[in-house]
Structure formats: C-alpha cells, structure tokens
C-alpha cells in the first residue's frame, strides 16, 4: 500500500509504504511526482516503511523505469524503516539517482524529517 502527502508547498513528498507494492500504486505515484517535478524542478522524497514487504514484479519494473527517467530529479531521498533490508534499499538506490540518500531507523523519524527539510529555502529551483 502506498500513501502520498505533499509538504513544503509541493517540494517534499512523504510516501508511506506498507504491505507489498503493486503496479497500480505506481499509477498513482508517478503522475503526482511528475507534476511536482514539473512545478519545482528537483524534489525531495521521505519514504516511511512500516511492515513493508517489497514489490510485486510489475511494480518493481515500474520502479526501475521511474528511477531511470527521474535520475536527476530527486534532490534528497530519506528512508525510515525498521528492518535491516530496508537500510540496504538506500545503498541499492544510489546508482539510480544523483540524490543524497540516507537511511534512518524508526526511532530516528524526527531526524529524517529534519534532514529532508534542511536547507530547503536555499535550494529553490528557478525553472
């Protein structure tokens, strides 16, 4: 399951991930992210994973296509989770983006929020 919440006037997207992602989740996610990128240039993503079990194959393919297409559009990417393999996602994503990527354990969720919002006023796009 995927829930989306925009913050900072659309410059930050918080993504709540739980269960297993399906291709239909990306059919909601991608247009919203692309609209934000069109409006702001680079954006930031805060991914909060709770009881997250990964992707179905169709969703994984959609994720890879998204990562390749938006290689340079994500400025910062924070993962918040409670499992060791979720920390590995931060490492796995590095080749697919120019974003600064950090992983935070569940008890560090406030630090993740602070980091994703840090220096936001100084990084406004003039697109």
């Amino acid at each position: 399951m995927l829930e989306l919440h925009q913050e900072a006037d659309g410059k930050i997207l918080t993504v709540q991930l739980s269960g297993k992602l399906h291709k239909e989740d990306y059919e909601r996610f991608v247009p919203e992210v692309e609209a934000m990128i069109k409006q702001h240039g680079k954006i930031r993503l805060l991914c909060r994973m709770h009881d997250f079990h990964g992707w179905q194959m169709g969703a994984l393919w959609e994720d890879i296509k998204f990562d390749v297409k938006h290689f340079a559009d994500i400025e910062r990417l924070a993962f918040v989770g409670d499992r060791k393999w979720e920390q590995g996602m931060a490492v796995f994503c590095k080749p697919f983006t120019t974003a600064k990527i950090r992983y935070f354990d569940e008890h560090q969720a406030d630090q993740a929020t602070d980091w994703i919002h840090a220096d936001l006023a100084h990084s406004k796009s003039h697109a």
Side-chain angles (χ1 to χ4, degrees), residues 30-55:
V30 171
E32 186 158 345
V33 170
E34 289 181 341
M36 292 171 66
I37 291 168
K38 186 175 181 182
Q39 182 178 358
H40 298 287
K42 290 182 181 259
I43 63 167
R44 298 176 180 195
L45 295 175
L46 174 59
C47 296
R48 296 180 181 269
M49 299 171 282
H50 180 73
D51 197 29
F52 181 56
H53 300 285
W55 299 260

PDB file of all heavy atoms in Angstrom, residues 30-55:
ATOM      1  N   VAL A  30       3.491   7.966  -9.769  1.00  0.00           N
ATOM      2  CA  VAL A  30       4.272   8.596 -10.836  1.00  0.00           C
ATOM      3  C   VAL A  30       3.660   9.917 -11.310  1.00  0.00           C
ATOM      4  O   VAL A  30       4.372  10.925 -11.376  1.00  0.00           O
ATOM      5  CB  VAL A  30       4.524   7.614 -12.003  1.00  0.00           C
ATOM      6  CG1 VAL A  30       5.147   8.314 -13.197  1.00  0.00           C
ATOM      7  CG2 VAL A  30       5.404   6.450 -11.531  1.00  0.00           C
ATOM      8  N   PRO A  31       2.357  10.001 -11.624  1.00  0.00           N
ATOM      9  CA  PRO A  31       1.820  11.294 -12.077  1.00  0.00           C
ATOM     10  C   PRO A  31       1.959  12.398 -11.026  1.00  0.00           C
ATOM     11  O   PRO A  31       2.235  13.552 -11.372  1.00  0.00           O
ATOM     12  CB  PRO A  31       0.345  10.991 -12.358  1.00  0.00           C
ATOM     13  CG  PRO A  31       0.282   9.523 -12.578  1.00  0.00           C
ATOM     14  CD  PRO A  31       1.354   8.937 -11.710  1.00  0.00           C
ATOM     15  N   GLU A  32       1.789  12.051  -9.758  1.00  0.00           N
ATOM     16  CA  GLU A  32       1.918  13.070  -8.711  1.00  0.00           C
ATOM     17  C   GLU A  32       3.352  13.574  -8.615  1.00  0.00           C
ATOM     18  O   GLU A  32       3.601  14.775  -8.545  1.00  0.00           O
ATOM     19  CB  GLU A  32       1.458  12.523  -7.354  1.00  0.00           C
ATOM     20  CG  GLU A  32       1.456  13.592  -6.294  1.00  0.00           C
ATOM     21  CD  GLU A  32       0.553  13.299  -5.109  1.00  0.00           C
ATOM     22  OE1 GLU A  32      -0.305  12.414  -5.183  1.00  0.00           O
ATOM     23  OE2 GLU A  32       0.712  14.001  -4.104  1.00  0.00           O
ATOM     24  N   VAL A  33       4.307  12.663  -8.646  1.00  0.00           N
ATOM     25  CA  VAL A  33       5.714  13.060  -8.590  1.00  0.00           C
ATOM     26  C   VAL A  33       6.088  13.874  -9.824  1.00  0.00           C
ATOM     27  O   VAL A  33       6.765  14.899  -9.723  1.00  0.00           O
ATOM     28  CB  VAL A  33       6.632  11.825  -8.446  1.00  0.00           C
ATOM     29  CG1 VAL A  33       8.089  12.194  -8.636  1.00  0.00           C
ATOM     30  CG2 VAL A  33       6.423  11.167  -7.092  1.00  0.00           C
ATOM     31  N   GLU A  34       5.645  13.445 -10.992  1.00  0.00           N
ATOM     32  CA  GLU A  34       5.996  14.167 -12.218  1.00  0.00           C
ATOM     33  C   GLU A  34       5.399  15.570 -12.231  1.00  0.00           C
ATOM     34  O   GLU A  34       6.023  16.512 -12.714  1.00  0.00           O
ATOM     35  CB  GLU A  34       5.597  13.356 -13.441  1.00  0.00           C
ATOM     36  CG  GLU A  34       6.504  12.143 -13.602  1.00  0.00           C
ATOM     37  CD  GLU A  34       6.206  11.275 -14.802  1.00  0.00           C
ATOM     38  OE1 GLU A  34       5.086  11.356 -15.366  1.00  0.00           O
ATOM     39  OE2 GLU A  34       7.098  10.479 -15.165  1.00  0.00           O
ATOM     40  N   ALA A  35       4.201  15.747 -11.674  1.00  0.00           N
ATOM     41  CA  ALA A  35       3.607  17.088 -11.575  1.00  0.00           C
ATOM     42  C   ALA A  35       4.430  17.967 -10.634  1.00  0.00           C
ATOM     43  O   ALA A  35       4.659  19.153 -10.906  1.00  0.00           O
ATOM     44  CB  ALA A  35       2.165  16.989 -11.093  1.00  0.00           C
ATOM     45  N   MET A  36       4.897  17.386  -9.537  1.00  0.00           N
ATOM     46  CA  MET A  36       5.732  18.138  -8.592  1.00  0.00           C
ATOM     47  C   MET A  36       7.050  18.540  -9.242  1.00  0.00           C
ATOM     48  O   MET A  36       7.519  19.660  -9.073  1.00  0.00           O
ATOM     49  CB  MET A  36       5.985  17.299  -7.342  1.00  0.00           C
ATOM     50  CG  MET A  36       4.748  17.070  -6.488  1.00  0.00           C
ATOM     51  SD  MET A  36       5.018  15.858  -5.151  1.00  0.00           S
ATOM     52  CE  MET A  36       6.205  16.744  -4.121  1.00  0.00           C
ATOM     53  N   ILE A  37       7.665  17.624  -9.985  1.00  0.00           N
ATOM     54  CA  ILE A  37       8.933  17.912 -10.662  1.00  0.00           C
ATOM     55  C   ILE A  37       8.729  19.005 -11.701  1.00  0.00           C
ATOM     56  O   ILE A  37       9.548  19.918 -11.822  1.00  0.00           O
ATOM     57  CB  ILE A  37       9.506  16.623 -11.302  1.00  0.00           C
ATOM     58  CG1 ILE A  37       9.969  15.663 -10.200  1.00  0.00           C
ATOM     59  CG2 ILE A  37      10.631  16.939 -12.280  1.00  0.00           C
ATOM     60  CD1 ILE A  37      10.275  14.253 -10.687  1.00  0.00           C
ATOM     61  N   LYS A  38       7.628  18.933 -12.443  1.00  0.00           N
ATOM     62  CA  LYS A  38       7.342  19.958 -13.457  1.00  0.00           C
ATOM     63  C   LYS A  38       7.203  21.331 -12.806  1.00  0.00           C
ATOM     64  O   LYS A  38       7.675  22.338 -13.341  1.00  0.00           O
ATOM     65  CB  LYS A  38       6.067  19.591 -14.212  1.00  0.00           C
ATOM     66  CG  LYS A  38       5.764  20.512 -15.361  1.00  0.00           C
ATOM     67  CD  LYS A  38       4.557  20.036 -16.148  1.00  0.00           C
ATOM     68  CE  LYS A  38       4.284  20.962 -17.304  1.00  0.00           C
ATOM     69  NZ  LYS A  38       3.111  20.562 -18.062  1.00  0.00           N
ATOM     70  N   GLN A  39       6.591  21.382 -11.632  1.00  0.00           N
ATOM     71  CA  GLN A  39       6.378  22.655 -10.947  1.00  0.00           C
ATOM     72  C   GLN A  39       7.633  23.168 -10.247  1.00  0.00           C
ATOM     73  O   GLN A  39       7.912  24.359 -10.267  1.00  0.00           O
ATOM     74  CB  GLN A  39       5.255  22.517  -9.925  1.00  0.00           C
ATOM     75  CG  GLN A  39       4.953  23.821  -9.201  1.00  0.00           C
ATOM     76  CD  GLN A  39       3.808  23.681  -8.214  1.00  0.00           C
ATOM     77  OE1 GLN A  39       3.207  22.626  -8.074  1.00  0.00           O
ATOM     78  NE2 GLN A  39       3.506  24.770  -7.543  1.00  0.00           N
ATOM     79  N   HIS A  40       8.417  22.280  -9.621  1.00  0.00           N
ATOM     80  CA  HIS A  40       9.513  22.717  -8.752  1.00  0.00           C
ATOM     81  C   HIS A  40      10.907  22.368  -9.251  1.00  0.00           C
ATOM     82  O   HIS A  40      11.885  22.782  -8.627  1.00  0.00           O
ATOM     83  CB  HIS A  40       9.350  22.088  -7.363  1.00  0.00           C
ATOM     84  CG  HIS A  40       8.097  22.491  -6.679  1.00  0.00           C
ATOM     85  ND1 HIS A  40       7.895  23.741  -6.141  1.00  0.00           N
ATOM     86  CD2 HIS A  40       6.942  21.813  -6.462  1.00  0.00           C
ATOM     87  CE1 HIS A  40       6.685  23.814  -5.615  1.00  0.00           C
ATOM     88  NE2 HIS A  40       6.085  22.652  -5.808  1.00  0.00           N
ATOM     89  N   GLY A  41      11.030  21.598 -10.299  1.00  0.00           N
ATOM     90  CA  GLY A  41      12.359  21.096 -10.669  1.00  0.00           C
ATOM     91  C   GLY A  41      12.675  19.917  -9.773  1.00  0.00           C
ATOM     92  O   GLY A  41      11.916  18.954  -9.721  1.00  0.00           O
ATOM     93  N   LYS A  42      13.742  20.008  -9.015  1.00  0.00           N
ATOM     94  CA  LYS A  42      14.107  18.909  -8.103  1.00  0.00           C
ATOM     95  C   LYS A  42      13.176  18.886  -6.896  1.00  0.00           C
ATOM     96  O   LYS A  42      12.770  19.924  -6.399  1.00  0.00           O
ATOM     97  CB  LYS A  42      15.549  19.071  -7.636  1.00  0.00           C
ATOM     98  CG  LYS A  42      16.561  18.810  -8.732  1.00  0.00           C
ATOM     99  CD  LYS A  42      17.966  18.930  -8.183  1.00  0.00           C
ATOM    100  CE  LYS A  42      18.977  18.685  -9.268  1.00  0.00           C
ATOM    101  NZ  LYS A  42      19.539  17.362  -9.214  1.00  0.00           N
ATOM    102  N   ILE A  43      12.860  17.656  -6.448  1.00  0.00           N
ATOM    103  CA  ILE A  43      12.032  17.489  -5.259  1.00  0.00           C
ATOM    104  C   ILE A  43      12.751  16.575  -4.272  1.00  0.00           C
ATOM    105  O   ILE A  43      13.812  16.024  -4.579  1.00  0.00           O
ATOM    106  CB  ILE A  43      10.640  16.913  -5.599  1.00  0.00           C
ATOM    107  CG1 ILE A  43      10.758  15.507  -6.193  1.00  0.00           C
ATOM    108  CG2 ILE A  43       9.875  17.862  -6.514  1.00  0.00           C
ATOM    109  CD1 ILE A  43       9.432  14.768  -6.260  1.00  0.00           C
ATOM    110  N   ARG A  44      12.156  16.428  -3.101  1.00  0.00           N
ATOM    111  CA  ARG A  44      12.692  15.549  -2.063  1.00  0.00           C
ATOM    112  C   ARG A  44      11.643  14.528  -1.685  1.00  0.00           C
ATOM    113  O   ARG A  44      10.453  14.843  -1.649  1.00  0.00           O
ATOM    114  CB  ARG A  44      13.094  16.364  -0.830  1.00  0.00           C
ATOM    115  CG  ARG A  44      14.196  17.370  -1.144  1.00  0.00           C
ATOM    116  CD  ARG A  44      14.520  18.218   0.039  1.00  0.00           C
ATOM    117  NE  ARG A  44      15.578  19.166  -0.294  1.00  0.00           N
ATOM    118  CZ  ARG A  44      16.258  19.845   0.619  1.00  0.00           C
ATOM    119  NH1 ARG A  44      16.001  19.699   1.905  1.00  0.00           N
ATOM    120  NH2 ARG A  44      17.197  20.678   0.249  1.00  0.00           N
ATOM    121  N   LEU A  45      12.098  13.297  -1.391  1.00  0.00           N
ATOM    122  CA  LEU A  45      11.192  12.216  -1.001  1.00  0.00           C
ATOM    123  C   LEU A  45      11.571  11.696   0.384  1.00  0.00           C
ATOM    124  O   LEU A  45      12.743  11.458   0.657  1.00  0.00           O
ATOM    125  CB  LEU A  45      11.266  11.050  -1.988  1.00  0.00           C
ATOM    126  CG  LEU A  45      10.799  11.301  -3.413  1.00  0.00           C
ATOM    127  CD1 LEU A  45      11.054  10.068  -4.270  1.00  0.00           C
ATOM    128  CD2 LEU A  45       9.326  11.648  -3.428  1.00  0.00           C
ATOM    129  N   LEU A  46      10.550  11.532   1.212  1.00  0.00           N
ATOM    130  CA  LEU A  46      10.700  10.919   2.522  1.00  0.00           C
ATOM    131  C   LEU A  46       9.854   9.650   2.510  1.00  0.00           C
ATOM    132  O   LEU A  46       8.632   9.719   2.442  1.00  0.00           O
ATOM    133  CB  LEU A  46      10.233  11.875   3.623  1.00  0.00           C
ATOM    134  CG  LEU A  46      10.185  11.332   5.054  1.00  0.00           C
ATOM    135  CD1 LEU A  46      11.550  10.844   5.500  1.00  0.00           C
ATOM    136  CD2 LEU A  46       9.660  12.403   5.995  1.00  0.00           C
ATOM    137  N   CYS A  47      10.508   8.501   2.498  1.00  0.00           N
ATOM    138  CA  CYS A  47       9.811   7.208   2.425  1.00  0.00           C
ATOM    139  C   CYS A  47       9.785   6.563   3.797  1.00  0.00           C
ATOM    140  O   CYS A  47      10.831   6.202   4.340  1.00  0.00           O
ATOM    141  CB  CYS A  47      10.520   6.278   1.435  1.00  0.00           C
ATOM    142  SG  CYS A  47      10.501   6.880  -0.240  1.00  0.00           S
ATOM    143  N   ARG A  48       8.584   6.432   4.342  1.00  0.00           N
ATOM    144  CA  ARG A  48       8.392   5.802   5.649  1.00  0.00           C
ATOM    145  C   ARG A  48       7.857   4.390   5.410  1.00  0.00           C
ATOM    146  O   ARG A  48       6.775   4.231   4.859  1.00  0.00           O
ATOM    147  CB  ARG A  48       7.418   6.604   6.497  1.00  0.00           C
ATOM    148  CG  ARG A  48       7.924   7.983   6.830  1.00  0.00           C
ATOM    149  CD  ARG A  48       6.896   8.736   7.671  1.00  0.00           C
ATOM    150  NE  ARG A  48       7.342  10.067   7.975  1.00  0.00           N
ATOM    151  CZ  ARG A  48       8.039  10.405   9.050  1.00  0.00           C
ATOM    152  NH1 ARG A  48       8.361   9.484   9.924  1.00  0.00           N
ATOM    153  NH2 ARG A  48       8.404  11.648   9.256  1.00  0.00           N
ATOM    154  N   MET A  49       8.647   3.399   5.813  1.00  0.00           N
ATOM    155  CA  MET A  49       8.278   1.999   5.575  1.00  0.00           C
ATOM    156  C   MET A  49       7.847   1.356   6.884  1.00  0.00           C
ATOM    157  O   MET A  49       8.606   1.346   7.852  1.00  0.00           O
ATOM    158  CB  MET A  49       9.469   1.251   4.983  1.00  0.00           C
ATOM    159  CG  MET A  49       9.913   1.827   3.651  1.00  0.00           C
ATOM    160  SD  MET A  49      11.469   1.138   3.061  1.00  0.00           S
ATOM    161  CE  MET A  49      12.642   2.032   4.068  1.00  0.00           C
ATOM    162  N   HIS A  50       6.625   0.847   6.899  1.00  0.00           N
ATOM    163  CA  HIS A  50       6.121   0.154   8.078  1.00  0.00           C
ATOM    164  C   HIS A  50       5.482  -1.153   7.622  1.00  0.00           C
ATOM    165  O   HIS A  50       4.569  -1.143   6.805  1.00  0.00           O
ATOM    166  CB  HIS A  50       5.096   1.016   8.814  1.00  0.00           C
ATOM    167  CG  HIS A  50       4.548   0.338  10.029  1.00  0.00           C
ATOM    168  ND1 HIS A  50       5.293   0.179  11.175  1.00  0.00           N
ATOM    169  CD2 HIS A  50       3.352  -0.238  10.265  1.00  0.00           C
ATOM    170  CE1 HIS A  50       4.561  -0.462  12.064  1.00  0.00           C
ATOM    171  NE2 HIS A  50       3.383  -0.735  11.533  1.00  0.00           N
ATOM    172  N   ASP A  51       6.013  -2.268   8.106  1.00  0.00           N
ATOM    173  CA  ASP A  51       5.527  -3.586   7.705  1.00  0.00           C
ATOM    174  C   ASP A  51       5.539  -3.708   6.177  1.00  0.00           C
ATOM    175  O   ASP A  51       4.598  -4.188   5.556  1.00  0.00           O
ATOM    176  CB  ASP A  51       4.121  -3.829   8.280  1.00  0.00           C
ATOM    177  CG  ASP A  51       3.738  -5.300   8.243  1.00  0.00           C
ATOM    178  OD1 ASP A  51       4.646  -6.157   8.316  1.00  0.00           O
ATOM    179  OD2 ASP A  51       2.542  -5.593   8.117  1.00  0.00           O
ATOM    180  N   PHE A  52       6.616  -3.230   5.563  1.00  0.00           N
ATOM    181  CA  PHE A  52       6.766  -3.206   4.105  1.00  0.00           C
ATOM    182  C   PHE A  52       7.367  -4.519   3.641  1.00  0.00           C
ATOM    183  O   PHE A  52       8.343  -5.005   4.191  1.00  0.00           O
ATOM    184  CB  PHE A  52       7.657  -2.025   3.704  1.00  0.00           C
ATOM    185  CG  PHE A  52       7.870  -1.883   2.232  1.00  0.00           C
ATOM    186  CD1 PHE A  52       6.803  -1.780   1.365  1.00  0.00           C
ATOM    187  CD2 PHE A  52       9.145  -1.848   1.712  1.00  0.00           C
ATOM    188  CE1 PHE A  52       7.000  -1.646  -0.004  1.00  0.00           C
ATOM    189  CE2 PHE A  52       9.362  -1.703   0.351  1.00  0.00           C
ATOM    190  CZ  PHE A  52       8.287  -1.602  -0.503  1.00  0.00           C
ATOM    191  N   HIS A  53       6.769  -5.110   2.600  1.00  0.00           N
ATOM    192  CA  HIS A  53       7.190  -6.429   2.116  1.00  0.00           C
ATOM    193  C   HIS A  53       7.739  -6.405   0.694  1.00  0.00           C
ATOM    194  O   HIS A  53       7.860  -7.456   0.063  1.00  0.00           O
ATOM    195  CB  HIS A  53       6.014  -7.411   2.193  1.00  0.00           C
ATOM    196  CG  HIS A  53       5.506  -7.587   3.588  1.00  0.00           C
ATOM    197  ND1 HIS A  53       6.157  -8.315   4.545  1.00  0.00           N
ATOM    198  CD2 HIS A  53       4.400  -7.084   4.189  1.00  0.00           C
ATOM    199  CE1 HIS A  53       5.484  -8.269   5.681  1.00  0.00           C
ATOM    200  NE2 HIS A  53       4.415  -7.533   5.492  1.00  0.00           N
ATOM    201  N   GLY A  54       8.032  -5.231   0.148  1.00  0.00           N
ATOM    202  CA  GLY A  54       8.642  -5.158  -1.174  1.00  0.00           C
ATOM    203  C   GLY A  54       7.646  -4.950  -2.300  1.00  0.00           C
ATOM    204  O   GLY A  54       6.574  -4.404  -2.110  1.00  0.00           O
ATOM    205  N   TRP A  55       8.037  -5.405  -3.481  1.00  0.00           N
ATOM    206  CA  TRP A  55       7.295  -5.139  -4.704  1.00  0.00           C
ATOM    207  C   TRP A  55       6.844  -6.434  -5.358  1.00  0.00           C
ATOM    208  O   TRP A  55       7.573  -7.417  -5.359  1.00  0.00           O
ATOM    209  CB  TRP A  55       8.185  -4.440  -5.730  1.00  0.00           C
ATOM    210  CG  TRP A  55       8.736  -3.131  -5.341  1.00  0.00           C
ATOM    211  CD1 TRP A  55       8.251  -1.911  -5.714  1.00  0.00           C
ATOM    212  CD2 TRP A  55       9.904  -2.866  -4.559  1.00  0.00           C
ATOM    213  NE1 TRP A  55       9.043  -0.919  -5.184  1.00  0.00           N
ATOM    214  CE2 TRP A  55      10.062  -1.479  -4.472  1.00  0.00           C
ATOM    215  CE3 TRP A  55      10.814  -3.681  -3.898  1.00  0.00           C
ATOM    216  CZ2 TRP A  55      11.097  -0.873  -3.774  1.00  0.00           C
ATOM    217  CZ3 TRP A  55      11.845  -3.086  -3.193  1.00  0.00           C
ATOM    218  CH2 TRP A  55      11.972  -1.703  -3.143  1.00  0.00           C
TER     219      TRP A  55
END
